[in-house]
Amino acid sequence: MSRLIVVSNRVPDPGRPPAGGLAVAMHAALQERGGVWMGWSGKSSGENDPGPLVTRQEGQISYALTDLSDRDLSEYYDGLANSVLWPLCHYRIDLTDYARRDMAGYLRVNRLFAERLRPLVGEGDLIWIHDYHLIPLAAELRQMGITNRIGFFMHIPWPSPDVFLTLPVQDMLLRAMTALDLIGLQTEDDAENFALCLKRGGVAKPLANEPGMFHNSERQFRVGAFPIGIDVKTFSHTAQTAIGNPTIQRFGRSLGDRELIIGVDRLDYTKGLPQRLTGFHRFLEVNPAWHGRVTFLQITPKSRSGVAEYDALQREVDEIAGHINGTLGRLDWTPVRYVNRAFSQHVLAAIYRMAGVGLVTPLRDGMNLVAKEYVAAQDPEDPGVLVLSRFAGAAHELRAGALLVNPYDVETIADAIGRSVSMPLEQRRERYAAMIDAINKNDIFDWCNAYLDQLASIPPSPWPIDPCQSGV
C-alpha cells in the first residue's frame, strides 16, 4: 500500500485525538498507510521569515508543521484565500477584494509549502492536497520535479463560470489545477461548474468516451464528485451517552416542556443567519399558539473579528435576536437564545439529540456537516426534523427526508418550522430513516477510501516544465 501525504492549511494538534470531521478520516488513513500530514502550525514568526519545518512522530504519522510570517498571513490567508476565494466561491462577488500583492503572497506561501514538502516525498507516495488555500501547490510541486500522483479536494462550493471567471487570476489558477491527477468536489453540481470553467476558460476539454476525464495538449486528469461524510456510528454513540451529562440535564430542565430548535454555525455571511432568525420571527408572528412553547437556540462562534463584513454581520444578528426577544419575549419565556462561543462535540451531539428541529439554512455551502451530525444524533424512536437549505451540498443526499427550503425566503423558512414542530411521529420516523440510510452509506471512511482508491488507480501523466505552456 502506498504511503499517504496529506497537505492542508491547518493541521490538528498532534498531541490530541481528532474530534471529528476531516481530521478523523485523515488520521485513520495515515495510521493505516503511514505517512506525513503537513501544514501551517497556527503560529506566526512575526516580521521574520518562518523558521525550519518542525516534525513530530505520532505512531505511523509524521506531522510536519511550518510557521508563517505576519506578511504571509496577511496576503495569503486573510488576503487571497479569505478575502477573494472564499466570497467568490460562495457567490459573493461583491465582497471580493482582489489585490496583486495578495496573489503574490498566495503563490509565495504555496511555493514555501512545496519547498518544505519536497524532501519528504518518497517514490510511490500519494499526495492529497486539501482546499482553496492550496490550489497552486500541485503545480509548484510539478515544477520541482515531483511526478507522484497528486489529488486535490475542494471543501467549499465551486461556483459557476459566470462567477469564477470574473477573478483576474482565474486562468492562472485553472491551469495550475491541471497539474493534479484527481480533482474532487463536494457535489455533481460543483463538478459540472468546474468542468464548465475549464471549457469556457480554454484550459482543458472532456476526454471522449471517458466520463470525468479531461485533457489538454500535455496531460490528462480526472474530475469527480466525492460528497464528504461524518463518522456516523461514533457521533450517534456520543449523542446517546452525552445526554446524561449534568450540564445537558440542567439545560434540559431550563427548557421545561418547550420544543427546542437548534442552529449551529460559524459567524459567517454564507450561513444565512439574518434570514434564519427573521424566518423564526415570522413563524412566531403567524403562529401565536406556539408562543411560550418553543425555544430557538442559535450557537454561533465568532470566526473573524476585526473584519468589517463580519463585524457588521455580528451587529445585525445581535439586533434581530434582540428585537425578537424584546417584542415577543415574556418573563417566563425567551424565544431566542443566541450564544457566541464554541462547544465540544459531546455537548453539541447531546443538544442535537434534544432538539426537535434542526435549522440548517446556509445561503451556500460545500456540504454542511452539521446537517449530517443532526441526523446521526437523533433518537430513531422519536427523531427530530431537519430543515435544510437547498443550496447546501448535503441537500443532494438528504432531500428524501429533510424539508428543503430557499434560505433567502423567510416565509418558506417560517412555513418549514411550522411543519416541523407539528409533524406526526410516523412521518418523522420515515424521514429520519431515509436520511440515516443516506449518511450510513457514505460515511467519512467510505469517502476517504473511495477518493484514495480512485487516485491510486490513475495512470501517471507528464507535466510541462512551464505550466503556462499547457493549453487545450
Side-chain angles (χ1 to χ4, degrees), residues 68 74 139 193 208 240 278 344 356 380 418 421:
L68 294 175
S74 173
N193 283 340
Q240 293 176 51
T278 305
S344 69
V421 295

Side-chain angles (χ1 to χ4, degrees), residues 59 89 105 119 121 126 159 188 207 245 256 263-264 300 324 332 334 357 365 379 393-394 443 460:
C89 290
V121 179
L126 294 178
E188 293 291 349
L207 197 63
N245 182 290
V264 178
T300 306
I324 296 170
D332 62 343
T334 302
V357 182
D365 230 335
D379 178 357
D443 70 9

Side-chain angles (χ1 to χ4, degrees), residues 107-176:
L107 294 173
R108 183 181 65 249
V109 171
N110 273 267
R111 192 172 302 117
L112 172 71
F113 272 50
E115 290 169 348
R116 298 194 162 194
L117 181 62
R118 183 183 180 186
L120 308 180
V121 179
E123 185 178 356
D125 290 348
L126 294 178
I127 302 173
W128 194 0
I129 300 167
H130 287 268
D131 227 357
Y132 60 102
H133 311 84
L134 302 174
I135 287 175
L137 179 56
E140 296 288 351
L141 290 169
R142 297 296 190 206
Q143 289 294 95
M144 295 176 185
I146 297 296
T147 59
N148 300 58
R149 293 177 179 88
I150 307 178
F152 174 85
F153 185 75
M154 186 78 163
H155 290 257
I156 65 176
W158 192 276
S160 70
D162 285 342
V163 173
F164 188 78
L165 297 182
T166 64
L167 181 63
V169 290
Q170 52 82 20
D171 183 71
M172 182 187 300
L173 294 181
L174 287 174
R175 291 185 186 279

Side-chain angles (χ1 to χ4, degrees), residues 206-218:
L207 197 63
N209 302 319
E210 289 196 46
M213 289 298 294
F214 290 79
H215 73 103
N216 53 31
S217 60
E218 301 291 342

Side-chain angles (χ1 to χ4, degrees), residues 261 276 299 356 470:
I261 300 172
R276 184 184 309 170
I299 298 174
S470 178

